[in-house]
Amino acid sequence: MTDLIRYDLLVQDALRGVVRKVMSDVARNGLPGEHHFYVSFRTHAPGVRISNRLRERHPEEMTIVLQHQFWDLGVTEHTFEVGLSFGGVPERLLVPFDALSGFWDPSVQFGLKFESTEAGEATLPEAGEAPAADSLTPPEPDGGRLATIEEAAGSNDAEPTVMTPKPAARPKKQAAAAAPESPDAKGEAGAEVLSLDAFRKKK
């Protein structure tokens, strides 16, 4: 049966909304804690604005790192804009969210992978699936090369995954309450409690 609703496109759009929300928060408040992002996008996608120098170096796809060396991050409903330095040359990039191909936060091992929708097709990101190796190499900043995602994570085995919330753990059953002591008629502390058999024997 043909999917006339196109759930795949709806899910892709919803996941791009996650990236939009996160980047909007960062634009207002800065990066929280150790969080930082690797953002991959298709440089040939409609609406992408980068310099000819960068487009020549990255004719298909490039990855930027939002950590220490970025400024003036601005986010709208459909695009984000940011300033970055490439080899000592400041650049201003404008990227539509529809052009995204990947998003990864190494600090918490969270990642999303997006398929191109230019041809009207899209597939869901698969849990545990890493983006292509050539899309994980960030640009070279001043003073040297930024680490790849694997190096930043500290392990070659680290792969981005689509995180899903864990079901809430069932509360542990409370331990059975201790049987209340049977005080004597006067309620004095330390009164001995006799079992029924012992009581019968005393009689």
Side-chain angles (χ1 to χ4, degrees), residues 23-106:
M23 295 184 71
S24 295
D25 291 345
V26 171
R28 287 193 302 268
N29 307 314
L31 286 167
E34 299 298 321
H35 290 280
H36 57 286
F37 313 132
Y38 287 75
V39 184
S40 300
F41 62 93
R42 294 178 296 279
T43 56
H44 56 79
V48 172
R49 296 180 190 173
I50 58 176
S51 67
N52 291 331
R53 180 176 76 101
L54 290 179
R55 199 178 298 275
E56 289 175 359
R57 291 179 59 184
H58 307 277
E60 297 296 328
E61 187 178 62
M62 70 179 295
T63 297
I64 59 175
V65 180
L66 303 183
Q67 186 172 14
H68 303 300
Q69 302 180 25
F70 73 93
W71 58 90
D72 295 338
L73 175 63
V75 181
T76 69
E77 182 178 357
H78 302 290
T79 66
F80 72 89
E81 191 172 5
V82 67
L84 290 165
S85 178
F86 298 88
V89 179
E91 300 272 5
R92 189 75 182 166
L93 292 75
L94 187 143
V95 181
F97 288 106
D98 285 344
L100 293 181
S101 57
F103 175 86
W104 203 60
D105 184 344

Side-chain angles (χ1 to χ4, degrees), residues 28 60 135 162 166 174 176:
R28 287 193 302 268
E60 297 296 328
S135 70
V162 179
K166 294 181 180 180
Q174 296 183 349

Side-chain angles (χ1 to χ4, degrees), residues 36 38 67 104 106-107 109 146-156 158:
H36 57 286
Y38 287 75
Q67 186 172 14
W104 203 60
S107 68
Q109 301 290 304
L146 283 174
T148 62
I149 284 182
E150 288 84 356
E151 293 168 342
S155 171
N156 291 330

Side-chain angles (χ1 to χ4, degrees), residues 108-183:
V108 291
Q109 301 290 304
F110 175 84
L112 299 170
K113 183 177 180 181
F114 302 98
E115 298 296 334
S116 172
T117 59
E118 294 176 13
E121 297 181 356
T123 57
L124 302 181
E126 297 181 5
E129 180 182 359
D134 58 356
S135 70
L136 301 185
T137 304
E140 295 182 1
D142 295 344
R145 181 180 65 82
L146 283 174
T148 62
I149 284 182
E150 288 84 356
E151 293 168 342
S155 171
N156 291 330
D157 296 330
E159 295 183 349
T161 58
V162 179
M163 301 186 73
T164 54
K166 294 181 180 180
R170 291 184 177 179
K172 295 182 179 179
K173 292 183 178 180
Q174 296 183 349
E181 294 183 357
S182 301

